[in-house]
Amino acid sequence: MSTGKINVTADNIFPIIKKFLYSDHEIFLRELVSNAVDATQKLKTLTRIGESDATLGDTTIQVKVDKKKKTLTIRDRGVGMTTDEVDKYINQLAFSGAEEFVKKYEDKAEGADIIGHFGLGFYSSFMVAKKVEIFSLSHVSGSKAAYWSCEGDPEFTLEETTKKKDRGTDIVLHLNKDADEFLEEARISELLKKYCRFLPVPIQFGEKEITETQGEGGDKKETKKKVPDIVNVTNPAWTKAPADLKDEDYKEFYKQLYPYTFEDPLFHIHLNVDYPFNLNGILFFPRIKPNMELQKNKIQLYQNQVFVTDNLEGIVPDFLTLLHGVIDSKDIPLNVSRSYLQADGAVKKISNHITKKVADKLNSIFKKDREDFEAKWNDIKVIIEYGMLSDDKFFEKAQKFALYQNVQEQHFTFDEYKDKIKDQQTDKDGNLIVLYAANKDGQHSFIKKAENKGYDVLLLDSPIVSHLMQKLEGEHDKVKFARVDSDSIDKLIKKDDEVVSKLSDEQKEKLKPIIEENIEKEKFTVQMESLDSSESPFTVTVPEFMRRMKEMSMTGGGGMMGMGDMPDMYNLVVNTNHPLVSKILDEKDGEKQKQMVTEAKNLALLSQNLLHGEALTNFVENQFNRL
Ligand code: ADP
Ligand code: MG
């Protein structure tokens, strides 16, 4: 038997371990189980290449709770360790890694970030245990079993033992009083599901009862039987080659990942890279409705099938965090803080690669089956539009497949659309005016006016669309977006053939104050226009610039913060060619004139669903009284 001090730097390590005690201490289980997996995989490799005579046998890893003794045991049938190896790997090497860690993070205040990702490995068990024991028997024939124990200080015991008869390692944790949650089966079960669900070696936690049926018809016999409860799927879909998987397999895997989701994903992207970095994974496009609350923590990050995190902020571009699925990479450094991770070169490369892959896949689906792509468009557009705004490379690629839908529900790429409207909707200054509506019903009268002129109207209703328009206007020369209700249609697309005004300038000057006196001045700007006599006498519009600024300030960005609070301002467009307008001008009775202006304005508001409250009540009452 030997006793000793683990090594000087160990003095530093235990206080650190204990400091983390109140944070993410549950990760100890992930560390110990993944060590057990490593040991098992090592033995499998050794026997395969003929370096070990051991008979593999059943290599299921066991996790056991003993409530009476207050212990938690992790048992594997892997390579095992001799006393020399325990000394080397546990007493010395384990700390050299930890020492680095201590040096690196000692003075940093980002403790909270590190936790959960720091690589204390085996020693993380001291976050929850007052004493840890190792019983281990090496696979090398003729080895003597090793026993090691330590009580959370630099003193340890290491000796040979006869207590361990089977090959492999038992790690026995004597849990702290305040860690007795880890004696609860439900808690351990939850943690195993979280961290170990896709580990490559079967992990057993307890037993479960199954019902077996034998015989048929009247002879049918049902017997209940207890079998090991295996918590994990050892060969998840992402570890297989895409060629070996069918559509159903992907859907099945989606259900394994999200047992509580009932909807199938729209499509998947299988990532499979060996060079220049290692990356496997499957990403799913979920259905995302424009007004749905966006969920960001759905993608899970694994390192060699060990769950690391589902917070991928900074690891993949923000817009892709709306996807679902799994990313697994050996090359993502885990033993570091998140800010370090975000700055890491490998992580950046991986992030770029994923973005590119997603764009390529979308493009190939678009090319292969445009009809299907169009059918899915409404469910995926939020992610794609978000991506186009936040990533220039993605924007470029997405130009090929991003779709714009018009009010007739036809889909176009932007280039196709420009082509479609260029003859009709180029104004006298050579600008191409893209007309759009945000709401088909709400802006119905304006859509109609545009269509009567032979113009086409897009339906743009996603939340970030004003940002996207801004971007498209920047990228495409002489393209301007205008919402159909932002001005009279002839003003939106100005052509040379201006309609002559029936009213002289003098008459207009006389009319303006008459109207202004009879409306709320702070709300409306009166705008005299000579439009077609078939156009409405009064139209209420919201200037494009105003509305867009307001929308953008509400969805963030554009340096327009605070404008969302601005009061609503309207233009009141008065069509000087409409007979009613001449009638108002010619009316001698001041009372009657006032009434005409008010009612015409109210009708204009009403046609746009802008007449509310008392104004609406009074208006309706007046109409009744007239009947
Ligand atoms: P890491 O796993 O990163 O090497 P750990 O602190 O988790 O660091 O483990 C230290 C070393 O202890 C391992 O590299 C391994 O050699 C040894 N070890 C730990 N657990 C086991 C086990 N269950 N079976 C065999 N060896 C183990
Ligand atoms: Mg480890």
Side-chain angles (χ1 to χ4, degrees):
M1 160 166 171
S2 70
T3 57
K5 275 201 156 196
I6 289 175
N7 82 39
V8 270
T9 58
D11 285 338
N12 306 331
I13 201 70
F14 286 104
I16 292 223
I17 293 166
K18 282 171 189 160
K19 198 171 103 189
F20 289 137
L21 205 75
Y22 299 100
S23 308
D24 218 358
H25 51 219
E26 63 180 41
I27 56 115
F28 81 92
L29 190 61
R30 172 187 82 184
E31 295 299 324
L32 295 182
V33 175
S34 61
N35 281 351
V37 168
D38 290 346
T40 311
Q41 302 285 62
K42 277 182 203 159
L43 184 62
K44 281 188 183 162
T45 309
L46 291 178
T47 54
R48 196 180 59 236
I49 61 173
E51 299 267 312
S52 173
D53 308 330
T55 320
L56 273 180
D58 179 6
T59 54
T60 303
I61 293 163
Q62 313 253 357
V63 179
K64 282 189 175 149
V65 168
D66 188 327
K67 281 195 176 162
K68 268 200 210 112
K69 290 190 188 142
K70 298 195 188 308
T71 59
L72 179 67
T73 301
I74 291 96
R75 162 176 295 174
D76 68 66
R77 303 263 295 129
V79 276
M81 289 177 277
T82 61
T83 44
D84 281 354
E85 284 167 334
V86 173
D87 192 40
K88 186 168 159 201
Y89 296 130
I90 299 295
N91 291 344
Q92 289 159 26
L93 279 188
F95 274 124
S96 65
E99 197 186 334
E100 254 179 55
F101 171 81
V102 174
K103 283 210 183 104
K104 214 160 160 185
Y105 294 112
E106 213 163 29
D107 313 318
K108 302 233 169 102
E110 41 183 333
D113 271 354
I114 311 162
I115 300 154
H117 292 233
F118 69 101
L120 279 181
F122 169 76
Y123 277 92
S124 62
S125 51
F126 286 99
M127 294 193 296
V128 297
K130 56 180 186 285
K131 177 179 174 186
V132 177
E133 294 175 297
I134 301 175
F135 298 86
S136 193
L137 180 60
S138 164
H139 67 108
V140 177
S141 55
S143 300
K144 295 225 165 75
Y147 172 77
W148 178 94
S149 89
C150 177
E151 303 199 11
D153 51 37
E155 321 283 335
F156 69 88
T157 303
L158 177 60
E159 61 192 14
E160 283 179 359
T161 179
T162 51
K163 278 193 197 152
K164 177 71 180 163
K165 300 261 182 336
D166 308 324
R167 178 200 73 222
T169 305
D170 293 0
I171 308 287
V172 183
L173 310 187
H174 298 262
L175 293 170
N176 282 327
K177 265 209 196 74
D178 56 9
D180 54 9
E181 65 188 278
F182 301 111
L183 292 172
E184 299 302 326
E185 261 120 47
R187 178 77 171 123
I188 296 297
S189 214
E190 174 203 332
L191 291 179
L192 291 172
K193 284 213 177 81
K194 178 168 173 189
Y195 293 109
C196 308
R197 195 146 49 115
F198 296 112
L199 282 175
V201 179
I203 299 155
Q204 178 190 357
F205 182 57
E207 293 182 316
K208 65 177 176 192
E209 208 175 64
I210 56 157
T211 312
E212 271 190 352
T213 336
Q214 278 153 338
E216 285 198 11
D219 292 336
K220 208 156 101 178
K221 242 181 37 193
E222 286 195 340
T223 40
K224 292 204 158 117
K225 211 172 117 182
K226 289 208 162 166
V227 294
D229 193 358
I230 304 294
V231 299
N232 56 329
V233 174
T234 53
N235 53 350
W238 83 80
T239 62
K240 298 177 190 168
D244 296 338
L245 295 165
K246 294 197 197 63
D247 232 27
E248 280 68 62
D249 300 320
Y250 287 104
K251 284 185 183 152
E252 184 59 38
F253 173 60
Y254 189 78
K255 288 205 180 93
Q256 280 171 11
L257 262 186
Y258 311 109
Y260 304 110
T261 304
F262 296 104
E263 212 160 351
D264 281 339
L266 290 167
F267 47 82
H268 63 264
I269 298 167
H270 198 136
L271 305 162
N272 212 324
V273 194
D274 299 323
Y275 183 83
F277 47 81
N278 193 289
L279 176 75
N280 287 297
I282 299 174
L283 295 176
F284 294 98
F285 262 79
R287 259 170 225 285
I288 295 187
K289 300 281 178 223
N291 293 321
M292 197 164 95
E293 203 177 309
L294 301 176
Q295 277 200 309
K296 286 198 170 180
N297 294 344
K298 283 291 201 172
I299 300 183
Q300 302 176 357
L301 179 69
Y302 288 77
Q303 191 202 41
N304 271 334
Q305 292 175 245
V306 184
F307 174 85
V308 180
T309 181
D310 54 11
N311 176 358
L312 267 77
E313 219 184 301
I315 300 172
V316 303
D318 209 31
F319 74 99
L320 290 181
T321 59
L322 299 172
L323 300 184
H324 295 177
V326 163
I327 291 171
D328 190 339
S329 177
K330 291 195 225 12
D331 294 326
I332 290 184
L334 299 180
N335 305 339
V336 296
S337 71
R338 185 166 290 281
S339 51
Y340 183 92
L341 204 59
Q342 288 165 355
D344 185 79
V347 172
K348 280 215 176 100
K349 273 195 206 124
I350 288 172
S351 163
N352 288 340
H353 178 81
I354 294 173
T355 310
K356 184 177 169 303
K357 272 282 175 177
V358 170
D360 290 348
K361 175 78 179 192
L362 288 166
N363 197 29
S364 86
I365 300 176
F366 172 74
K367 285 222 288 256
K368 215 164 84 196
D369 190 349
R370 176 156 177 169
E371 211 176 306
D372 183 49
F373 191 82
E374 287 183 0
K376 286 169 177 160
W377 178 249
N378 256 324
D379 294 318
I380 59 176
K381 69 178 177 191
V382 175
I383 297 178
I384 294 171
E385 288 168 355
Y386 191 9
M388 289 169 75
L389 281 173
S390 52
D391 189 312
D392 281 339
K393 279 210 189 103
F394 188 79
F395 179 86
E396 230 161 82
K397 288 188 173 254
Q399 293 267 53
K400 288 206 202 96
F401 55 77
L403 293 178
Y404 303 84
Q405 200 195 61
N406 67 7
V407 291
Q408 326 288 354
E409 287 174 28
Q410 297 166 305
H411 293 84
F412 307 88
T413 64
F414 200 63
D415 283 337
E416 288 168 355
Y417 193 68
K418 280 197 329 195
D419 241 29
K420 176 183 165 66
I421 61 169
K422 71 168 187 286
D423 289 340
Q424 296 288 328
Q425 292 175 224
T426 304
D427 71 6
K428 66 178 163 58
D429 302 320
N431 291 314
L432 188 61
I433 310 296
V434 178
L435 296 174
Y436 72 98
N439 183 321
K440 227 162 126 175
D441 288 336
Q443 289 146 20
H444 178 263
S445 63
F446 292 95
I447 294 172
K448 221 157 160 227
K449 277 179 199 160
E451 286 178 343
N452 286 343
K453 288 255 165 193
Y455 300 151
D456 193 78
V457 179
L458 285 183
L459 184 65
L460 299 179
D461 57 3
S462 13
I464 46 175
V465 84
S466 31
H467 298 268
L468 186 62
M469 288 182 314
Q470 207 87 346
K471 173 100 184 156
L472 286 165
E473 285 173 349
E475 296 287 325
H476 297 264
D477 211 27
K478 297 212 135 193
V479 166
K480 298 215 155 47
F481 283 76
R483 207 165 95 168
V484 277
D485 59 349
S486 58
D487 208 335
S488 63
I489 192 70
D490 291 332
K491 275 278 156 69
L492 288 179
I493 304 182
K494 281 196 201 116
K495 300 275 171 139
D496 277 332
D497 42 325
E498 266 189 49
V499 187
V500 274
S501 178
K502 269 190 203 158
L503 300 188
S504 67
D505 285 352
E506 221 168 63
Q507 285 173 306
K508 280 191 211 164
E509 222 128 284
K510 208 177 135 204
L511 178 64
K512 206 170 176 191
I514 297 175
I515 293 173
E516 280 173 346
E517 270 160 35
N518 292 306
I519 55 169
E520 300 92 311
K521 263 212 190 108
E522 60 297 340
K523 245 179 148 177
F524 296 97
T525 310
V526 175
Q527 204 176 302
M528 297 288 182
E529 275 172 38
S530 40
L531 305 171
D532 205 287
S533 60
S534 65
E535 297 262 349
S536 308
F538 282 24
T539 313
V540 173
T541 63
V542 181
E544 176 74 16
F545 171 77
M546 280 285 252
R547 203 205 44 259
R548 215 190 280 183
M549 286 304 131
K550 254 184 111 152
E551 275 172 13
M552 285 173 67
S553 78
M554 277 189 282
T555 46
M560 298 296 158
M561 275 314 181
M563 269 187 82
D565 298 334
M566 274 182 29
D568 290 320
M569 297 276 280
Y570 305 108
N571 281 343
L572 182 65
V573 180
V574 177
N575 180 2
T576 55
N577 291 337
H578 196 281
L580 177 70
V581 174
S582 310
K583 222 172 135 190
I584 292 174
L585 182 66
D586 297 339
E587 182 55 58
K588 299 275 163 330
D589 181 344
E591 222 13 72
K592 225 168 163 205
Q593 202 174 37
K594 182 188 170 120
Q595 196 190 358
M596 280 157 96
V597 172
T598 315
E599 304 244 322
K601 176 207 69 183
N602 282 342
L603 280 166
L605 284 170
L606 194 69
S607 81
Q608 273 192 79
N609 203 12
L610 287 171
L611 193 63
H612 303 295
E614 198 184 343
L616 179 62
T617 315
N618 290 343
F619 175 78
V620 172
E621 224 149 77
N622 273 337
Q623 298 302 311
F624 279 137
N625 290 340
R626 285 189 172 183
L627 293 174

